[in-house]
Amino acid sequence: MRLGLSNRSRFAGARLRKLAFASAVMLCVVAGFAINSPMALRWFYPRATAAVVRLPAAPGFSAGMRVLLVSPHPDDESLCCAGQLQQAVAAGAQVYIVWITSGDGFELDAALQERTSRPRAGATERLGNMRIGEATRAAAALGIPASHLTFLRYPDGALLKMYRANNAVPVRSPHTGATRVPYPQALSPGAAYTRANLERDLNRVLDAVRPDVTLIPTTSDFHHDHRATSLVMQELLARRGVLSSARYWIVHGGVEWPVPKGLHLGFPLLIPPRGHTLNWLRADLTPEQQRGKLAAIQAHRTQMNVMPRFLEAFVRENELVTLSDKRGR
């Protein structure tokens, strides 16, 4: 059967519309890749990018130097400083990490790991153990041996309360219900959740490491646990007369920071809103160090399952550090 002219025209029109649709989809895909390229992102964030470019370089590391990173939760060490930790290891420095909590306060994460909306008893403790394992693997990806890792395992989400509380009264974890360290794999198993015990354990770590450089959060960080970690560490370092050894970093830097979300290798980590008055320094990362940082972050699988785009947004061509927690701009 032969098609009439009008029928052939309709078929041709339909084919053209399909081709046009496919072309539009392909154009959108190509445009999406182009928009997310480092060059295009610099065009979208011109002032913010220029501000990072103008930052002075952060001090480096040298052979024999002893570097201690104090991390409130498992994953903070990789988000803030995985690039600098790689640089320290490569320079011949001895790198150590101490984690204050086990990250056992993420109840949504615990529910996801248990695959139920009503996790069984002990779900948060099991999550804490998983996250400690992940932190160990992340450190290994950065070249830091297990013998240089210390886990204190104080209450996630309650460090600021513990910092402010009467030392005679242990704080109760809002997630596990514990008032003492419930984990055998800890520096002081069974230690009551008091500020005095936290300071004692941190002093033990400082005595053992004797750091030349101590990487700690800034009090500008939005998270209460990060601010508490900064406050207690600054006091301990000041008592020893070595507060000048501190270098400060930030993870919770304000709404939507870091921007843009997702993995954008070769794009700078921009100055966070909550720390815009701090005197930031820029620690530039090589492409290899960026990939090493990504590997460390990906070791935190429980967190990657929940918020991958937030975590990946820290893998940039630089990290930010400041030598003073005081606002200087």
Side-chain angles (χ1 to χ4, degrees):
M1 182 177 68
R2 298 179 63 186
L3 294 173
L5 181 60
S6 59
N7 286 335
R8 289 200 300 269
S9 298
R10 283 198 296 273
F11 276 102
R15 289 190 65 187
L16 286 173
R17 285 192 294 273
K18 288 181 179 179
L19 287 171
F21 177 76
S23 298
V25 170
M26 182 61 68
L27 182 61
C28 288
V29 171
V30 172
F33 279 111
I35 288 172
N36 284 286
S37 70
M39 184 178 297
L41 289 173
R42 282 177 166 81
W43 185 81
F44 278 108
Y45 300 94
R47 292 185 179 179
T49 300
V52 175
V53 171
R54 290 194 298 267
L55 293 177
F61 304 92
S62 58
M65 185 178 282
R66 302 173 73 84
V67 178
L68 173 66
L69 188 144
V70 184
S71 183
H73 315 96
D75 77 8
D76 289 322
E77 81 297 328
S78 298
L79 298 178
C80 78
C81 310
Q84 294 171 83
L85 296 182
Q86 290 177 83
Q87 292 172 354
V89 170
Q94 295 293 310
V95 178
Y96 299 81
I97 306 176
V98 56
W99 286 270
I100 307 296
T101 79
S102 302
D104 54 16
F106 201 163
E107 293 174 336
L108 172 61
D109 202 359
L112 290 174
Q113 297 306 313
E114 300 274 324
R115 297 183 179 181
T116 176
S117 60
R118 295 183 177 180
R120 295 170 294 161
T124 51
E125 289 94 332
R126 288 190 290 275
L127 174 64
N129 285 325
M130 292 177 66
R131 295 194 66 182
I132 289 302
E134 292 169 349
T136 303
R137 290 188 287 275
L142 300 174
I144 304 169
S147 60
H148 287 197
L149 311 180
T150 304
F151 304 100
L152 304 188
R153 313 194 79 164
Y154 283 91
D156 187 359
L159 294 186
L160 191 59
K161 182 178 180 180
M162 190 169 70
Y163 174 79
R164 293 170 172 169
N166 181 346
N167 278 327
V169 181
V171 167
R172 182 177 299 277
S173 167
H175 304 287
T176 68
T179 58
R180 297 176 177 274
V181 177
Y183 304 98
Q185 185 191 14
L187 183 63
S188 299
Y193 285 159
T194 65
R195 175 175 169 175
N197 285 341
L198 174 61
E199 291 184 353
R200 180 202 63 198
D201 282 354
L202 287 171
N203 273 319
R204 287 177 62 186
V205 173
L206 289 170
D207 287 340
V209 176
R210 303 186 310 279
D212 302 297
V213 174
T214 310
L215 291 158
I216 63 176
T218 170
T219 53
S220 294
D221 197 295
F222 177 76
H223 199 297
H224 287 184
D225 285 348
H226 288 230
R227 295 209 297 274
T229 298
S230 184
L231 290 168
V232 70
M233 282 303 304
Q234 289 191 57
E235 289 187 16
L236 295 181
L237 294 174
R239 290 175 199 167
R240 293 167 175 258
V242 293
L243 184 58
S244 60
S245 75
R247 300 182 190 178
Y248 303 87
W249 47 266
I250 193 167
V251 165
H252 303 279
V255 177
E256 292 303 317
W257 187 84
V259 292
K261 291 292 181 291
L263 183 62
H264 300 286
L265 300 174
F267 184 70
L269 182 66
L270 305 179
I271 295 172
R274 289 187 63 87
H276 73 279
T277 60
L278 296 176
N279 293 316
W280 292 107
L281 305 173
R282 189 187 70 250
D284 291 328
L285 308 185
T286 66
E288 182 179 3
Q289 289 163 356
Q290 292 176 59
R291 290 190 292 271
K293 180 168 185 171
L294 178 60
I297 289 174
Q298 289 176 334
H300 295 279
R301 290 187 177 181
T302 57
Q303 307 312 291
M304 286 292 292
N305 289 338
V306 180
M307 46 186 176
R309 288 176 57 77
F310 172 71
L311 302 183
E312 291 173 346
F314 285 88
V315 185
R316 300 290 166 85
E317 67 178 13
N318 68 282
E319 292 175 342
L320 297 172
V321 65
T322 178
L323 303 183
S324 173
D325 198 33
K326 297 179 180 178
R327 291 150 179 77
R329 289 191 177 88

